[in-house]
Amino acid sequence: MKLYEYLGKKLFHRYDIPVPQSKMAESSEEAAEAAAELGDVVIKSQVLSGKRGKAGGIAFASNPGEARTEAERILNMRLNDLTVEKLLVEEKLQIEQELYLALTVDGALRCPVVLASLDGGMDVEEVAEDRMIKWPIDVSIGLQDYMTREICRKMGVSGALQKEFIKLLPKLYKMFRELDAELAEINPLALTPDGLVAADAKVTIDDDALYRHPQLPRVKEKTDLELKAEELDIAYVELEGDIAVMANGAGITMATLDMVQHYGGAAANFLDFGGGADVERTAQALELLLGTNPKVLLINIFGGITRCDIVAEGFVKVRESKGIDLPVSFRMVGTKEAEGRAILEKVGIKTFNSMDDAVRHAVELTGAS
Amino acid sequence: MKLYEYLGKKLFHRYDIPVPQSKMAESSEEAAEAAAELGDVVIKSQVLSGKRGKAGGIAFASNPGEARTEAERILNMRLNDLTVEKLLVEEKLQIEQELYLALTVDGALRCPVVLASLDGGMDVEEVAEDRMIKWPIDVSIGLQDYMTREICRKMGVSGALQKEFIKLLPKLYKMFRELDAELAEINPLALTPDGLVAADAKVTIDDDALYRHPQLPRVKEKTDLELKAEELDIAYVELEGDIAVMANGAGITMATLDMVQHYGGAAANFLDFGGGADVERTAQALELLLGTNPKVLLINIFGGITRCDIVAEGFVKVRESKGIDLPVSFRMVGTKEAEGRAILEKVGIKTFNSMDDAVRHAVELTGAS
Amino acid sequence: MSIFINKQTRVLVQGITGKQGSFHTAQMLEYGTNIVAGVSPGKGGQSVEGLPVYDTVFAAMEKEPVDASILFIPAPFAKDAAYEALSAGVKIIVLIPEHIPLHDAMDIMAYARKQDAVVVGPNTFGLVSSGSSKIGIMPNRYFVPGPVGIVSRSGTLCYEIVGHLTEHDIGTTTVVGLGGDRVVGLNFIDVLSRFEEDPETKAVILVGEIGGSSEEEAAAYISTSMKKPVIAYLAGRSAPPGKRMGHAGAIIERGRGTFESKVKALNAAGVEVAGLPTEVPALIKKILS
Amino acid sequence: MSIFINKQTRVLVQGITGKQGSFHTAQMLEYGTNIVAGVSPGKGGQSVEGLPVYDTVFAAMEKEPVDASILFIPAPFAKDAAYEALSAGVKIIVLIPEHIPLHDAMDIMAYARKQDAVVVGPNTFGLVSSGSSKIGIMPNRYFVPGPVGIVSRSGTLCYEIVGHLTEHDIGTTTVVGLGGDRVVGLNFIDVLSRFEEDPETKAVILVGEIGGSSEEEAAAYISTSMKKPVIAYLAGRSAPPGKRMGHAGAIIERGRGTFESKVKALNAAGVEVAGLPTEVPALIKKILS
């Protein structure tokens, strides 16, 4: 779960990481009031998309009038298909230098890593490799001061700025661990006359750990279908094509999409309804698919834990209750294959043995319709 | 630093470990008031000595009048040379079973250990070895539920009581680690109709870590000289004899005391003023010694980091400023030995080469005086 | 022959009394796995499929020392159960559950390294040494003995490929599912290096997907340290950037972990990449002949 | 020959610019210790006794890889410095400081075990392989080569005994100070087992004291696993129960760790216990002849 900048900064503040003075505004009037209180301000659209600056979603104002004008301009503007509804109005920092600091998870090393650079403000991938210091953390001892000293040495930082890092980094690590963050990024980390201040906040919380953080806000910036899928714990991604795909397993679903493309078709979605689905879950997954108004359904089942008969039953149930008459290409092998086929044949649906054949048939069906 | 029961229970409460309802009383009137509020109570003298019950320092009362009488009896009584100044007046628990639970440090294993037993109320050493479960904790992962389940299995505890332990033990471990405890003991741990309750609290905080716990109270139950020694960071223990001993190093000081005894003398104290003492520290250690009004001084210096000349200088300084005319037996070898001897010879004090000779001389001096 | 596990490997099932646990215990026994006991806190003394059930792993180990444990434990309790097995001295831990919190996975891996144990998963189908021992949830009938080692990031896709091999009468030595999560215990290299040393394994199939850099790292390892032939299949060629395709790692972020970079790295290491799962048997036959 | 360290052992001094650090660096160099560098955060680029000073252990290790590090670091910062050395790959850590918090010591020991490193101390005089390498703070002149290994819980008392040996022209192989704290990295057995394997060590002196049970454990080890002769001296015969005699462990609590129980255990293991430090040389001579 990605958090809005202002929510990330609230968490920073809770962990005693310096952030600018700020006010939230949902109207130009509130923005003007905030500016009256804070003086020179920066007005930042609160959407989860990056590159807000380039898209015009960030503005400066040196008096309430300017703040009102800019807020009016930004509120309700569209940024990457998202509508701006909230503004963060912040004191303008006196920035001497922009740095980069983040904690994230390194899958290859299987542990947290600190990322730190003197080249802040840029996207992490744009920073030259030798200018981005990476330091893995052994979770059995956690973040220790010697690590910060070492990171600073590699950055070429010493003296007062090193002391600032030694104060800051343990707090960021504590937050990262305690809140089950996947990412806690400060970019830019502003060096001001008062020390280091988090000028931005990109915090992502591990969805799988949200259950143990009831106090955290829940942020939703997804389509209705994606939200519905999340509720059902179904891996679902909307795509642009017209063949609705469902399969059991992330890898095989991807492979199915690849094959659709290979045979000249276009998938409407990625939908992995996982292993061991029951009738109910199968039906829910299917209903989700129908929401995209596809031309053709492509179902690819390789039964392991998943039982073919149960998937077939779920399919028939939805088909009858919803009166679906979409063309379907159904591949079904594995556990309880014969039983599943029998159920489908009863309603006049033939199944394929091979994934290849099923995908080719689905692509043909789009041409026919 | 040992904490009074009531302070230990305050910490338990802070870590959400159930403790009985209670009030502190420093007069019989306050005890009566507390009883009026709490009903059936137990009145417990707050001294650091164990075995308060056997010594009459604990009483039950079922009404304010009884509470007043018992409080009057207990207040100002002497328990193991300590005067009772404070009472803890607690609700009387409905105890179904008395258990034992503690966290301490196992020096041989170099890690924390849980001690748990169904035989509560007894001193830990009196519990049969196979009835006292010991479980070491790897600090790199901390206390995990599986450990508690395993401890419970070994005790023969399951069901609801196991659940109680799974709730309680992580809290005790958290406190033990966060507060740098050497010991956090609950004995008895009372099983009541409401679950487990800490009926007593024995908490010792590591003196070397007190600096990072400014919020903890400072408990002092020591003689003036011991307090003074603690301030000076000198290892000092009062004994019963008449030969004041100082040496540099705990082992050699012990060995000196052993030798005093071996030759028929009796040491007035243990005083290790450590390695690398300067003139000031030497003088402070000496002044401490003089406080016990000994008959003879025995000083045993084996100079390694410690410089003989500096010890000699410190000695001469105190001798002159305080006008000491006690007989002295001085052994001095090692770093700057010649210089040290010269300084002492100037004031008419001869030194010994061997510890044996010096100790024998000191014992002879006590006979002579 | 096989890697990691064989007919003698003594196996424990944690969470054996649950629906999944008992079902797959039966499946594994049917396959021939040497399961010796199960654990379910509070269920000690019961029996499942004729196997004794204990309250704790330590209790089980006192009676039935094991080499490996497979966990059918709900995600929130998986870390504790994994710690328990590691602490009790189990050297191979197979973590079936999905949705284990990322930080829990990191904790488990750190402790496993300390205990010098191998963790398979989480979010894996497990591993199987064909014809002798299956510690996982894959369908029994596809896993027949043969000369091919397989290591895969995904489950059903791996079955799909094994299914094609079976159709062509090509069997497997050991098949290892790394798991679909961002932090898993084994990477491709850990498994490839075992296959390299296994005399029965004549060729290896690597089943990868977009996201992360483990295929690229595997390619570097293959080119410097492997003599045995390797072929690959990669899922996610058609995936758009920025969209997570089910698996936590299967996402092209900031231009990293693309299909093209993986194919390029593997090709440079002499690894042919099959365009479709159906092409895999032909590639393997070419290599083995 | 010697145990743990020798002439080749490359040594780092952490806290080299401090008063104690620089003084003992000079002393160790004089003794012949192969010190290659020092570390003092913020003092990188300086030099002490002709040795380069680095800001961090990693910086030092890049230029001057070391086998051992000795720490002259104030107690509150000792854990961080020890972690740093362990994390950078140093395999022998000598922790001179006293007053290191007990929980910090436990943390250090857990991490050292993970990193497979030896920790000497805390609150130790260090260790010396006589005539070749001294990593510690003991006075140089008493430590001359010879056939006796010594392991001690206390410092000055150990010097006292070494002093008596020197008077009698008996030298030492290696002398190890375990440290006076409740949690220390080495116990008697760790050191005795090394002496048992060291061909140059002909006899061993164990210098113990009241409190704890490590002398009793050592006695059990000696009786079952040591062929070499061992004698002992124990401090604290006259100490009253319940009073901590300076060292954190040196206390008779609840009747445990008494002088008598230790002497009994050692005697049962065939270890003679000297009544006075002055008796040690005669006992050793008897054994060696």
Side-chain angles (χ1 to χ4, degrees), chain A residues 234-260:
Chain A
I234 287 170
Y236 176 81
V237 177
E238 275 179 37
L239 301 169
E240 312 277 308
D242 50 11
I243 301 177
V245 176
M246 71 184 267
N248 60 327
I252 196 146
T253 310
M254 266 190 277
T256 310
L257 302 189
D258 294 347
M259 206 179 273
V260 167

Side-chain angles (χ1 to χ4, degrees), chain A residues 259 262-263 356, chain C residues 161 164-165 168 231-233 237 272-285:
Chain A
M259 206 179 273
H262 179 82
Y263 288 117
D356 254 67
Chain C
I161 285 168
H164 286 299
L165 293 178
H168 291 80
I231 67 149
Y233 175 77
R237 162 177 256 159
E272 256 195 277
V273 179
L276 295 172
T278 39
E279 295 171 19
V280 169
L283 285 180
I284 279 290
K285 276 191 178 166

Side-chain angles (χ1 to χ4, degrees), chain B residues 100 104-112 123-125 134 138-140 176-177 179-183 185 202 206 208-209 211-212 226 233 235-239 248-252 254-255 257-259 261-263 270 272 274-275 300 302-305 331 333-337 354-356, chain D residues 20 23-24 75-77 79 98-107 109-110 113 137-139 141-142 154-157 159-161 163-164 181-187 190 209-210 213 217 233-240 243-247 250 253-254 256 259 275-279:
Chain B
Y100 178 96
T104 184
V105 173
D106 188 311
L109 297 174
R110 308 177 185 94
C111 68
D123 190 21
V124 59
E125 287 303 306
K134 287 191 192 187
D138 180 339
V139 292
S140 71
F176 177 75
R177 290 282 289 167
L179 298 185
D180 279 299
E182 284 182 34
L183 175 71
E185 183 184 79
K202 229 182 234 137
D206 176 15
D208 289 336
Y211 72 91
R212 52 189 177 199
E226 283 171 343
D233 187 24
Y236 175 81
V237 178
E238 275 179 37
L239 302 169
N248 60 328
I252 197 148
M254 265 189 277
L257 301 190
D258 294 348
M259 206 181 271
Q261 193 190 54
H262 179 82
Y263 287 119
F270 169 102
D272 162 24
N300 183 9
F302 195 111
I305 338 175
R331 187 267 186 129
V333 294
T335 312
K336 303 268 179 189
E337 179 181 319
S354 105
M355 180 171 156
D356 253 66
Chain D
Q20 278 218 7
F23 174 76
H24 286 292
F77 310 107
K79 176 169 123 177
E98 53 181 348
H99 296 309
I100 290 182
L102 188 59
H103 286 255
D104 287 4
M106 293 193 289
D107 290 341
M109 300 317 158
R113 196 166 39 193
I137 59 173
M138 54 293 257
R141 61 174 159 144
Y142 298 100
S154 34
T156 312
L157 176 57
Y159 309 165
E160 176 79 31
I161 286 167
H164 286 299
D181 284 0
R182 194 153 152 206
V183 167
V184 293
L186 291 176
N187 58 32
D190 297 325
E209 63 190 32
I210 51 162
S213 58
E217 287 152 16
Y233 176 77
L234 302 175
R237 163 176 255 160
S238 67
K243 302 275 190 183
R244 179 162 292 179
M245 303 312 251
H247 283 165
E253 272 185 304
R254 298 161 165 160
R256 293 185 103 189
F259 183 83
L276 294 170
T278 39
E279 295 171 19

Side-chain angles (χ1 to χ4, degrees), chain D residues 2-32:
Chain D
S2 52
I3 63 171
F4 294 114
I5 59 172
N6 57 41
K7 198 107 200 133
Q8 278 68 51
T9 305
R10 293 168 62 85
V11 180
L12 182 73
V13 179
Q14 287 177 262
I16 195 171
T17 58
K19 198 178 145 193
Q20 278 218 7
S22 57
F23 174 76
H24 286 292
T25 297
Q27 294 286 306
M28 287 187 279
L29 287 171
E30 196 187 298
Y31 193 79

Side-chain angles (χ1 to χ4, degrees), chain B residues 138 140 145-146 149-150 153, chain C residues 56 62 80 84 87 114:
Chain B
D138 180 339
S140 71
D145 286 350
Y146 81 82
R149 288 200 306 274
E150 191 57 27
R153 181 178 75 88
Chain C
T56 72
E62 283 168 14
D80 188 57
E84 182 179 8
S87 156
K114 182 169 189 182

Side-chain angles (χ1 to χ4, degrees), chain D residues 41-252:
Chain D
K43 305 279 172 66
Q46 298 186 5
S47 95
V48 170
E49 299 288 336
L51 298 166
V53 177
Y54 297 92
D55 279 320
T56 72
V57 177
F58 285 88
M61 291 284 271
E62 284 167 13
K63 304 273 184 178
E64 322 277 354
V66 302
D67 309 300
S69 182
I70 180 166
L71 276 73
F72 297 99
I73 301 282
F77 310 107
K79 176 169 123 177
D80 188 58
Y83 273 173
E84 181 179 10
L86 290 166
S87 157
V90 181
K91 290 301 177 196
I92 298 178
I93 310 284
V94 181
L95 283 176
I96 300 299
E98 53 181 348
H99 296 309
I100 290 182
L102 188 59
H103 286 255
D104 287 4
M106 293 193 289
D107 290 341
I108 292 169
M109 300 317 158
Y111 190 53
R113 196 166 39 193
K114 182 169 190 181
Q115 299 294 89
D116 203 18
V118 167
V119 175
V120 185
N123 193 11
T124 177
F125 59 81
L127 75 174
V128 51
S129 285
S130 295
S132 60
S133 183
K134 179 186 97 163
I135 310 183
I137 59 173
M138 54 293 257
N140 290 355
R141 61 174 159 144
Y142 298 100
F143 295 84
V144 295
V148 179
I150 303 185
V151 53
S152 174
R153 274 171 82 181
S154 34
T156 312
L157 176 57
C158 183
Y159 309 165
E160 176 79 31
I161 286 167
V162 174
H164 286 299
L165 293 178
T166 313
E167 276 171 28
H168 291 80
D169 291 321
I170 304 167
T172 45
T173 49
T174 300
V175 180
V176 181
L178 301 180
D181 284 0
R182 194 153 152 206
V183 167
V184 293
L186 291 176
N187 58 32
F188 283 122
I189 297 172
D190 297 325
V191 182
L192 291 173
S193 61
R194 302 276 191 133
F195 279 136
E196 177 71 6
E197 285 168 16
D198 174 41
E200 298 295 314
T201 301
K202 305 300 181 197
V204 179
I205 303 174
L206 180 158
V207 183
E209 63 190 32
I210 51 162
S213 58
S214 52
E215 289 80 3
E216 286 87 338
E217 287 152 16
Y221 175 80
I222 291 165
S223 74
T224 60
S225 312
M226 270 190 91
K227 295 210 182 74
K228 288 187 185 168
V230 180
I231 67 149
Y233 176 77
L234 302 175
R237 163 176 255 160
S238 67
K243 302 275 190 183
R244 179 162 292 179
M245 303 312 251
H247 283 165
I251 180 170
I252 298 165

